[in-house]
Amino acid sequence: MSRLIACTALFFLLISSARAETLAGSEWGYSSNPEAFLRFETEGKVSGFAGCNHFFGTYEIIDNESIQFGQMGATRKMCPPQIMAHEQVLFEALNKASIYRRDRYKLVLGDAQNNEILKMEQRDRD
């Protein structure tokens, strides 16, 4: 019986670890701002382009569905107001995000109340 419990625990640990790694190395975009992208790098780093400015920061997968983005840095170019508004939406979504759901080539970021705040599609799928 204890062997079964140990095997079950190992199985869930492996699934959890695999899920946590599924974002590393992936790049995501969204339709309302086609030039923008978000890239999850290794070692908890994140970078991207918000439509006018490049940005960088950190992220952490806390459990199978929780995510937290750290303080973001960005270049400070000025662009037309419409592009700056799209950038603001992306930065606010990253700031509010606390959960994520990935379904193959779709990524949804949500807030603490499980409200969808940003839906993205994987750009680098093979």
Side-chain angles (χ1 to χ4, degrees):
M1 180 70 166
S2 65
R3 177 182 266 175
L4 177 61
I5 292 171
C7 288
T8 303
L10 179 60
F11 174 75
F12 284 110
L13 179 64
L14 291 173
I15 288 175
S16 175
S17 297
R19 169 99 189 240
E21 295 302 318
T22 61
L23 292 178
S26 63
E27 186 173 295
W28 303 83
Y30 59 107
S31 59
S32 64
N33 192 355
E35 293 181 12
F37 66 89
L38 173 65
R39 181 181 302 128
F40 291 92
E41 301 172 8
T42 59
E43 300 179 11
K45 304 233 189 267
V46 65
S47 65
F49 179 66
C52 179
N53 290 286
H54 289 87
F55 63 92
F56 53 90
T58 60
Y59 75 99
E60 179 182 3
I61 302 295
I62 299 163
D63 59 32
N64 283 339
E65 63 182 33
S66 298
I67 191 167
Q68 183 175 16
F69 291 92
Q71 184 69 33
M72 295 289 174
T75 57
R76 298 193 180 261
K77 293 188 328 187
M78 290 300 293
C79 290
Q82 181 179 1
I83 294 173
M84 298 302 287
H86 282 292
E87 283 198 348
Q88 191 62 33
V89 167
L90 176 60
F91 291 141
E92 286 177 5
L94 297 178
N95 190 43
K96 291 179 185 177
S98 60
I99 63 162
Y100 78 100
R101 291 183 304 276
R102 180 177 183 176
D103 181 18
R104 294 184 41 100
Y105 304 118
K106 306 271 188 215
L107 176 68
V108 175
L109 298 178
D111 63 16
Q113 290 75 40
N114 204 19
N115 297 311
E116 183 179 299
I117 54 178
L118 188 64
K119 187 183 292 186
M120 307 181 93
E121 291 193 22
Q122 192 168 3
R123 291 175 34 158
D124 61 343
R125 55 186 162 180
D126 295 333

